[in-house]
Amino acid sequence: MNLELIIAGALLIALTFYVLTGGADYGAGVWHLFARGARSRAYRALIDQALAPIWEANHVWLIFVLVLLFTAFPPAFTAIVTNLHIPLTFLLIGIVMRGASLAFRYADVPFGELHTQWDRLFALASLLTPFWLGVAIGTIVGGLPAVSGNFVATYISPWLQVFPFLVGLFTVVLVSYVAAAYLAVEAVDERLIEDFRWRAIAAGLAVLLLDETVLLASRNGAPILWDALTGTAWGAAVQFGTATAGLAAIVCLWQKRFRWARLCIVGQVTLTLWAWAFAQFPYLVPPQLTIYNAAAPTLTLQWLLLALGVGALLLFPSLYYLFRVFKQQAMFGHDDPPPSGEQRRKGGHT
Amino acid sequence: MPDLLAARSLMAMSLGFHIIFAVVGIGLPLMMVIAEWRWLRTGEEVYLTLTKRWAKGTAFLFAIGAISGTVLSFQLGLLWPGFMAWAGPIIGLAFSLEGFAFFTEAIFLGLYLYGWRRLSPAAHLGAGIVVAVSGAASALFVVLANGWMQTPRGFRIVDAQPTDIDPVAAMLNPSGLFQVPHMILAAYAATGFVVAGIHAFRLLRDPDNQFHQRAFVIACVVGGVSALFQPVSGDILANVVAKYQPAKLAAFEGQFSTESGAPFRLGGIPDLEQGRLRYAIEIPYALSLMLYLDPHATVAGLDAVPREEWPPVGVVRTAFQIMILAGIWMATVALWGAWLWWRRGSIVRSRRFLQTMVVTAPLGFLAIEAGWTATEVGRQPWIITGVMRTAEAVTPMPGLIVPLMFFGVLYLFLAAVVAWVLFHQIGSSPREEPLRRNRGETRPKELTVRAYGTEKKPE
Ligand code: HDD
Ligand code: HEM
Ligand code: HEM
């Protein structure tokens, strides 16, 4: 196996981690939008409690993706940041607004009425950020031809298309789905569990639907994806796998086997991301830049790999520790046998 | 406004914004850990209160540091794709290592802030130490990357492309190696002085408040010791600049013509037309002496480089002078504090000293902003000294004035809210805490890093 392939793998793993952790934090923010009515305070408390200790660590995965991209595949990075300047700027604004509103809400300061405004900003930014991330990904799959045309052709028309926007929408629903499942596991209050169970089921159905829609749209929007997923045996197998995981997740949610549901969802999301990655393999940015022709010189890759290896030895135990301390029950507890509520109450967050 | 200027201003703005939070993210965890250590050693509640309050500040400012840093990571590419395409493989290693430092910092800060009741005291203190070390490590790596832009190495140029790239040689560049201690000391000095100033302000009104006394002493020690070493590390750094970036040094010093036995010039107005510095106070031979330990050594002037490769002399020199004056002043105040300690055994009793500390409080941050302005604007017109010009690196994207304005407004807004939050966090002296808590803030209690063991103030 050659170096560039390993590093591309690390890139994909980092992105997967980002979607499954950082992405879910955005998803939790999206549910904030719906936190109305009698239980809204309990909702917010749950969401806040779930996010507070970990969101910053989760966010670093994104930085990591960026850094790996510009270190190991600089031409791909350059192509993306140049052509996608505008959507990436929107993404950035979303990140700033989400992070800032979260920080301001957690700062123990009597904002009074303003707290509601921060809540709104937080929810809105949580919605927009994954959307623009999805748009960026959708545009990349669709391909970034190196046009040196006019402004619109270079900076706007690549992303202002149906397909990227569908991918954006899909991303929002996907992260909300993941978040709902996590929150259903983490909630202690029986009514909240029910709420998030239903939300997860609804979002799960929406994901399945959008999955197919995106696939259909890719026929025109991202032929490379369409060809791989519909024209090859592995493509069909992956589709089958994703759909099975998705359906299994919904069944588990139905039966209140939340930990199993979460496992299925994690599998489903991972498969979705990896299907995309393998479909455009070996391209990083179709139609020109591949993992091979965009790779940095060997020595850089070697050192990078060494750094990643040593760093991983530090990172994963630390992450394990973090989640062990704060997500003890949620991560490492057992799925309740027929839900009795009692056991949940004992563990969980104190 | 031309796009290049807009890009440069936007980058400068984002960096100038981020550095404030980054510096606090390096300095405050150190003080917080010292306070916690004192608490474990002495068992005095007041240290615990102090630890929690500094932790609260760290938590809040870290979050803003994280988002402003994210903006920077994107803007490196959004604004300077030409630079990143070229330099990514060379300095990417430093950024990757920095990424791991971010991870450990964020992870252990989470553990520290929300783990009071879940970790053993030793583990908790350990988490704090990891946060402090990771903060310094982030600075280490990113400043090494910056140093490479000043003194690039670790590659050969063939056909305008870098070949034979050696990322480790690139990371261990001379400028970076000497910038790192200067930057980390600067972070401790600036945070120490600001915090000391705030507590000095409180002590002037409330001289017997134990909480503020303890806080003031810790902050003074951290800030003062660093401020004493800062001129030394700065002088060594100036040698590196003189060696590798003579045009920049000449701009720093207002040295228009190459001269032996060069004086050190304070103040003055650079006259670019005539090529000299007017109305400056000169200390004869001092510059040659400081740089080369030889009063007759030759110092290269701006005349040694072609005119179009001069950095903007006015800005660079002004910024540099501000840093130097601030540095000398801070070191002097630190010496005074040391003297008070030695002669009177206490630094919290002298009103004059407390007043001076209040006035000195912002100087560290001022010096940091000024020092970076000197460093970065002094690098112009190069983005990579001698290799690539800033104009070649900028994005082809037109209309950069729009993001410039937008981010300008955004930063102003964030700065205003941050100031307001800090005002409230700091404004509530520990004894007011119970009052405020009763005012019915409806926040889940897990989320707030509360101060326990509220100190009752003896009236
Ligand atoms: C608390 C802040 C602070 C203080 C008191 C000083 N500095 Fe400084 N200085 C910085 C904070 C700083 C900085 C903002 O952190 C810089 C920017 C780049 C760097 O690494 O550190 C810097 C850069 C910097 C440079 C330019 C490096 C380059 O271009 O590569 C020189 C020559 C000095 N300093 C010299 C000094 C001297 C001689 C000082 C003593 C009086 C001094 N500094 C005090
Ligand atoms: C001398 C300059 C810099 C120093 C000393 C510095 C230091 C730090 C520190 C200590 C943090 C931790 C967050 C905090 O405590 O506030 C941080 C965060 C960050 N910095 Fe900087 N930084 C510098 C410049 C940059 C630059 C140029 C970039 C980008 C290219 C950058 C990117 C980031 C990012 C992405 C984070 C967020 C990490 C997280 O999510 O936790 N920084 N920086
Ligand atoms: C955080 C402290 C820093 C401050 C306050 C700062 C300040 C500035 C300023 C004022 C400029 C504009 C210079 C001009 O165009 O006249 C600039 C440009 C730039 N800086 Fe820094 N800088 C800092 C650290 C860094 C670091 C650590 C890096 C990279 C590793 C970096 C990378 C750049 C780049 C790429 C540019 C744009 C190109 C250029 O204008 O030369 N800076 N910075």
Side-chain angles (χ1 to χ4, degrees), chain B residues 143 150 175 179-180 182-183 185-186 189-190 230-231 234-235 237-238 241 245 248 252 320 323-324 326-328 330 363-364 367-372 374-375:
Chain B
V143 171
Q150 319 285 346
S175 186
Q179 272 183 357
V180 167
H182 196 62
M183 176 71 234
L185 284 174
Q230 193 67 335
D235 183 50
L237 186 54
V241 180
Q245 294 174 286
K248 187 201 255 184
F252 281 173
F320 188 71
M323 173 180 65
I324 298 284
I328 294 172
M330 287 162 70
L363 285 193
I368 286 181
E369 296 284 355
W372 275 108
T375 306

Side-chain angles (χ1 to χ4, degrees), chain B residues 72-375:
Chain B
L72 279 174
S73 306
F74 274 92
Q75 281 180 345
L76 275 183
L78 290 175
L79 299 176
W80 314 101
F83 168 67
M84 291 313 282
W86 217 90
I90 311 179
I91 52 168
L93 184 63
F95 283 107
S96 316
L97 293 171
E98 197 200 11
F100 283 111
F102 292 155
F103 258 128
T104 48
E105 188 169 14
I107 290 172
F108 285 91
L109 189 63
L111 282 163
Y112 189 88
L113 293 174
Y114 299 95
W116 279 101
R117 274 169 293 170
R118 296 172 190 232
L119 303 180
S120 71
H124 192 265
L125 182 66
I129 293 175
V130 177
V131 174
V133 172
S134 315
S138 324
L140 170 86
F141 292 121
V142 78
V143 171
L144 285 178
N146 181 275
W148 180 84
M149 296 165 65
Q150 319 285 346
T151 49
R153 56 211 52 222
F155 61 91
R156 266 181 336 112
I157 301 178
V158 177
D159 294 337
Q161 286 304 314
T163 41
D164 291 343
I165 289 174
D166 179 351
V168 175
M171 215 159 77
L172 301 180
N173 62 82
S175 186
L177 286 178
F178 290 94
Q179 272 183 357
V180 167
H182 196 62
M183 176 71 234
I184 293 178
L185 284 174
Y188 293 146
T191 326
F193 270 83
V194 162
V195 174
I198 291 167
H199 290 285
F201 185 74
R202 287 321 193 82
L203 280 172
L204 284 169
R205 306 242 178 110
D206 189 5
D208 294 319
N209 189 321
Q210 295 256 323
F211 172 81
H212 292 305
Q213 289 183 350
R214 300 279 154 70
F216 181 71
V217 170
I218 294 180
C220 276
V221 171
V222 169
V225 172
S226 317
L228 283 179
F229 286 106
Q230 193 67 335
V232 181
S233 85
D235 183 50
I236 301 174
L237 186 54
N239 286 326
V240 178
V241 180
K243 183 158 171 208
Y244 296 100
Q245 294 174 286
K248 187 201 255 184
L249 189 92
F252 281 173
E253 306 291 357
Q255 186 77 42
F256 280 90
S257 43
T258 306
E259 126 184 64
S260 59
F264 183 77
R265 301 179 178 82
L266 260 182
I269 301 167
D271 181 342
L272 293 186
E273 298 312 312
Q274 306 239 340
R276 65 200 186 92
L277 194 68
R278 291 168 180 273
Y279 316 117
I281 306 166
E282 302 201 345
I283 307 172
Y285 304 109
L287 185 58
S288 293
L289 197 63
M290 279 194 294
L291 288 178
Y292 303 107
L293 299 176
D294 166 10
H296 298 289
T298 307
V299 179
L302 280 166
D303 56 3
V305 281
R307 178 66 210 259
E308 73 276 4
E309 287 176 14
W310 288 15
V313 180
V315 180
V316 175
R317 170 147 178 90
T318 312
F320 188 71
Q321 294 269 308
I322 291 174
M323 173 180 65
I324 298 284
L325 290 178
I328 294 172
W329 177 251
M330 287 162 70
T332 315
V333 174
L335 280 176
W336 180 16
W339 185 82
L340 278 177
W341 186 297
W342 179 53
R343 297 308 295 247
R344 306 224 193 123
S346 156
I347 52 172
V348 297
R349 294 284 158 208
S350 160
R351 286 190 73 78
R352 192 60 49 80
F353 184 64
L354 291 177
Q355 283 160 349
T356 312
M357 286 306 288
V358 173
V359 177
T360 310
L363 285 193
F365 277 93
L366 184 71
I368 286 181
E369 296 284 355
W372 275 108
T373 308
T375 306

Side-chain angles (χ1 to χ4, degrees), chain A residues 153-287:
Chain A
T154 318
Y155 298 105
I156 298 197
S157 35
W159 55 273
L160 196 62
Q161 309 275 355
V162 175
F163 182 72
F165 275 67
L166 269 177
V167 179
L169 190 65
F170 178 64
T171 314
V172 174
V173 178
L174 195 70
V175 295
S176 312
Y177 175 43
V178 179
Y182 289 179
L183 288 169
V185 177
E186 282 192 42
V188 182
D189 183 326
E190 219 37 73
R191 286 170 311 173
L192 282 184
I193 298 177
E194 268 307 286
D195 283 350
F196 279 109
R197 180 167 82 110
W198 284 110
R199 285 167 188 201
I201 291 175
L205 292 173
V207 164
L208 286 179
L209 191 75
L210 272 169
D211 216 353
E212 295 311 310
T213 320
V214 167
L215 186 64
L216 286 180
S218 74
R219 187 170 190 168
N220 289 321
I224 201 169
L225 196 66
W226 170 261
D227 292 347
L229 290 185
T230 58
T232 64
W234 74 263
V238 163
Q239 282 207 64
F240 179 73
T242 319
T244 313
L247 290 174
I250 291 175
V251 171
C252 290
L253 283 168
W254 190 268
Q255 299 185 330
K256 305 194 181 177
R257 295 178 189 281
F258 294 112
R259 287 192 165 72
W260 285 107
R262 188 177 56 183
L263 197 68
C264 293
I265 292 174
V266 166
Q268 183 187 358
V269 173
T270 311
L271 270 180
T272 309
L273 278 171
W274 289 46
W276 152 54
F278 279 87
Q280 68 166 57
F281 181 82
Y283 288 98
L284 277 169
V285 183

